[in-house]
Amino acid sequence: QSVLTQPPSVSAAPGQKVTISCSGSSSNIGNNYVSWYQQLPGTAPKLLIYENNKRPSGIPDRFSGSKSGTSATLGITGLQTGDEADYYCGTWDSSLSEVFGGGTKLTVL
Amino acid sequence: QVQLVQSGAEVKKPGASVKVSCKASGYTFTSYGISWVRQAPGQGLEWMGWISAYNGNTNYAQKLQGRVTMTTDTSTSTAYMELRSLRSDDTAVYYCARELLGVVPAAMRSFDPWGQGTLVTVSS
């Protein structure tokens, strides 16, 4: 069982918007920054969002992040078939370890 | 460009040890920490620990304490992760990942870039 809770799957049509939630506690999300990673099939994870809502260089503004209390959300607009991937949230936990969500599989119908 | 290149796939027997390397290029190696993350087949990401390439300080995941050792060789800009007493449930792809922002508190860490991954298979 992952410390952070994500929905196992989400889906939407091309061009539409989707959100992926990540729920934690005051031991992790509630007091630390959240990152989001995209893992395309058969590849290593790639950073999409850091410090809750910042995008690294090269990440399009179709990807956005937000945090409220002990939950965080990744938003993707203008969905493309190339966005089909697994998405993971991650943050620091008071147990002195980095923790991740179980991952959400995005299907672009 | 910043790049992490990992060593090749390994097959080990239960009880053996494995040492995976992660060679960095394109940045000042000692200015960033490296974390190791593994992913069992069909499963999610599991953080294993972190090492400072500046002074060698480490922080290991509690469940791996006593079985894992992370080191760096600054002369070759290479990080290493050794896992001992391997079990079948250690079968996974092992990734190294650099901190995005350099020397920051753990609560501010995010990981970018990542190595390509090393498959470690533990089987008798």
Side-chain angles (χ1 to χ4, degrees):
Chain A
Q1 292 288 55
S2 301
V3 173
L4 306 180
T5 301
Q6 298 180 232
S9 63
V10 296
S11 62
Q16 297 301 303
K17 174 182 178 178
V18 71
T19 60
I20 298 173
S21 62
C22 176
S23 177
S25 69
S26 58
S27 298
N28 39 69
I29 291 178
N31 285 285
N32 296 301
Y33 287 114
V34 177
S35 300
W36 287 92
Y37 302 88
Q38 177 194 59
Q39 187 174 33
L40 296 169
T43 70
K46 173 185 174 181
L47 179 67
L48 287 179
I49 298 289
Y50 68 101
E51 290 183 8
N52 301 334
N53 55 20
K54 297 179 181 179
R55 283 176 285 106
S57 172
I59 301 300
D61 58 8
R62 299 189 299 109
F63 296 91
S64 64
S66 63
K67 187 185 109 167
S68 178
T70 58
S71 293
T73 301
L74 173 70
I76 311 173
T77 60
L79 276 173
Q80 303 172 0
T81 55
D83 296 331
E84 286 204 336
D86 294 324
Y87 292 84
Y88 294 91
C89 57
T91 188
W92 186 249
D93 187 271
S94 61
S95 62
L96 301 183
S97 67
E98 184 78 14
V99 291
F100 294 100
T104 298
K105 181 177 181 60
L106 169 63
T107 301
V108 181
L109 301 169
Chain B
Q1 75 282 21
V2 176
Q3 194 173 11
L4 301 176
V5 178
Q6 299 183 219
S7 49
E10 304 260 15
V11 179
K12 297 291 183 180
K13 292 192 182 304
S17 299
V18 68
K19 191 170 186 177
V20 179
S21 68
C22 170
K23 183 170 178 58
S25 61
Y27 71 95
T28 302
F29 182 68
T30 52
S31 294
Y32 295 80
I34 296 280
S35 277
W36 290 87
V37 177
R38 68 180 180 178
Q39 185 171 35
Q43 302 301 308
L45 304 175
E46 179 186 13
W47 181 80
M48 301 177 66
W50 166 89
I51 182 166
S52 165
Y54 173 70
N55 58 16
N57 285 352
T58 55
N59 175 23
Y60 300 137
Q62 188 171 9
K63 72 174 285 188
L64 296 174
Q65 288 273 5
R67 286 208 301 139
V68 67
T69 301
M70 295 175 187
T71 57
T72 59
D73 181 343
T74 57
S75 69
T76 60
S77 298
T78 303
Y80 298 92
M81 185 285 300
E82 181 180 33
L83 189 61
R84 300 175 293 278
S85 302
L86 289 168
R87 308 185 290 247
S88 58
D89 62 356
D90 291 318
T91 294
V93 176
Y94 288 74
Y95 295 102
C96 60
R98 196 201 75 169
E99 293 172 333
L100 174 68
L101 299 176
V103 181
V104 296
M108 294 182 67
R109 275 188 209 138
S110 54
F111 309 122
D112 183 71
W114 295 56
Q116 84 276 19
T118 297
L119 175 62
V120 175
T121 303
V122 182
S123 173
S124 55

